[in-house]
Amino acid sequence: MKSNLDLVKESDGFPYQEDDPERYTRLVSSSYTFHLQDSTSTVGYLLPWVVEKMPWSSAWRVEHKQKRITPHPRSYSLDEQNTVIAETLKEARAHGVFEVLKGWRNELYPIYGSAAQISIERAGSALFGIVTYGVHMTVYVKSTEGLKLWVPRRAKNKQTYGGMLDNTVAGGISTGEKPFECLVREAAEEASLPEDLVRKGARACGIVSYFHIRDERAGGEAGLLQPECQYVYDLEVEEGVVPRPGDNEVEDFYLWSVEEVQKALAEGQFKPNCALVLLDFLVRHGLLTAENETHYIEIVARLHRKLPFPTA
């Protein structure tokens, strides 16, 4: 059985310098830093084996001594960095260089840190170790039996975390998309929740941020770096409101008590980052407290990790 702190560590697995300086230094010093043309900030980390296998063209500046990677288009245009990134990933996909690219989405994720709007194919984001963004909403009911949460099970054939439990609504934010508009779209697609219900009732509750190191359940190569920020929302509904699968990504929804959710968390049934969102929900609703959780302070702190890259 997993403790709440175990669940946090599973998602927030990138070492902290103050806790494990040796591992932190080893991982950071061996990684290549990813930069954009007009920025001095590091916007991502690439692992050495990713750099070795990536089909870099002359439109990149690959500095092995400095361990630094920067798109360097022939024509000086910040927007051209998008073309360089896209063509490189398409080349890698065409030659089957990386397993993770088999999950190609034709969906762009934003990269912050440039004056231009820079994007990357979603499936390739972890190869460059950039910060990705999503929305997660917990839909709950205040019943006569107490608080209950709507919990979906992911389709078993999903490339990522197939068959695991999830948050009621969750999805990635594409380039140019606002978090709340993403939430409305995902709520309709995944849970068949009416737009007016979500717009009127969903309550923004902050963010959960962490630095994940992917394992085989994420699809593709294990060990890729994935820092993430999730915009968190709550939606209280009446007992007659029942989420239903609206696409092929969810198998079913269950209405579970807090105790049933906590049991499933301890059994490791939830997708790792969804477990963090639920822990955040339990904290905010006074169900996880300093009185019933020994590691309360560390858990709360690590639900809101400061990431070493530019963010939205």
Side-chain angles (χ1 to χ4, degrees):
M1 301 290 276
K2 296 181 178 180
S3 69
N4 290 326
L5 185 57
D6 290 336
L7 295 171
V8 171
K9 289 179 177 179
E10 188 173 20
S11 272
D12 191 36
F14 194 90
Y16 285 74
Q17 186 173 18
E18 58 270 27
D19 294 337
D20 193 345
E22 183 177 341
R23 183 167 173 249
Y24 173 87
T25 300
R26 184 171 65 249
L27 190 49
V28 172
S29 64
S30 65
S31 297
Y32 283 64
T33 57
F34 179 36
H35 298 261
L36 299 173
Q37 269 193 319
D38 60 328
S39 174
T40 57
S41 300
T42 296
V43 298
Y45 288 153
L46 292 90
L47 296 173
W49 61 265
V50 172
V51 175
E52 183 180 346
K53 294 175 68 175
M54 190 71 73
W56 307 111
S57 69
S58 59
W60 288 90
R61 182 181 288 126
V62 181
E63 302 170 272
H64 291 292
K65 186 176 181 180
Q66 295 85 355
K67 292 190 173 179
R68 181 184 175 103
I69 307 286
T70 313
H72 190 62
R74 293 176 183 84
S75 60
Y76 187 78
S77 166
L78 296 180
D79 289 331
E80 281 297 309
Q81 294 176 102
N82 287 303
T83 302
V84 173
I85 294 168
E87 289 181 349
T88 301
L89 286 176
K90 287 177 182 176
E91 178 78 4
R93 181 194 184 197
H95 290 87
V97 177
F98 299 107
E99 284 291 318
V100 73
L101 295 183
K102 290 181 179 179
W104 195 274
R105 302 287 192 98
N106 286 317
E107 180 180 350
L108 293 178
Y109 271 1
I111 306 175
Y112 294 95
S114 172
Q117 183 169 280
I118 308 301
S119 301
I120 188 171
E121 156 61 34
R122 175 174 178 169
S125 59
L127 292 170
F128 285 79
I130 64 155
V131 181
T132 58
Y133 302 83
V135 294
H136 285 241
M137 181 165 70
T138 302
V139 178
Y140 65 98
V141 176
K142 288 182 178 177
S143 72
T144 55
E145 300 172 355
L147 198 67
K148 292 192 174 184
L149 284 64
W150 280 107
V151 176
R153 186 173 297 281
R154 295 164 69 85
K156 291 184 176 64
N157 61 356
K158 274 188 70 69
Q159 185 207 25
T160 59
Y161 303 99
M164 299 193 77
L165 298 175
D166 209 317
N167 298 128
T168 320
V169 174
I173 301 175
S174 301
T175 297
E177 191 172 32
K178 297 297 184 183
F180 193 75
E181 296 307 313
C182 176
L183 179 72
V184 172
R185 174 178 58 79
E186 292 286 354
E189 292 176 358
E190 293 187 351
S192 304
L193 292 172
E195 179 177 342
D196 61 336
L197 174 69
V198 178
R199 289 194 181 279
K200 291 177 182 177
R203 183 168 60 90
C205 301
I207 65 162
V208 167
S209 54
Y210 49 90
F211 201 152
H212 187 49
I213 299 179
R214 290 162 59 113
D215 60 28
E216 63 282 350
R217 297 172 299 174
E221 293 84 352
L224 293 173
L225 306 179
Q226 190 168 355
E228 293 193 308
C229 290
Q230 307 295 352
Y231 293 84
V232 176
Y233 297 84
D234 285 355
L235 175 62
E236 181 182 350
V237 298
E238 301 294 330
E239 292 190 67
V241 176
V242 179
R244 291 185 173 85
D247 54 24
N248 59 0
E249 296 193 5
V250 174
E251 284 189 359
D252 203 358
F253 285 88
Y254 316 112
L255 185 58
W256 281 355
S257 67
V258 171
E259 291 73 24
E260 288 173 309
V261 170
Q262 290 176 316
K263 180 175 182 293
L265 283 168
E267 292 172 347
Q269 292 193 49
F270 279 91
K271 181 173 177 273
N273 66 343
C274 297
L276 294 194
V277 173
L278 284 169
L279 291 177
D280 178 69
F281 178 90
L282 296 176
V283 168
R284 290 186 289 101
H285 287 261
L287 299 167
L288 184 64
T289 68
E291 284 68 39
N292 61 26
E293 171 53 64
T294 304
H295 303 287
Y296 183 76
I297 292 176
E298 182 176 359
I299 288 169
V300 173
R302 291 182 66 168
L303 290 174
H304 308 95
R305 180 169 185 161
K306 180 174 173 56
L307 299 173
F309 310 116
T311 51

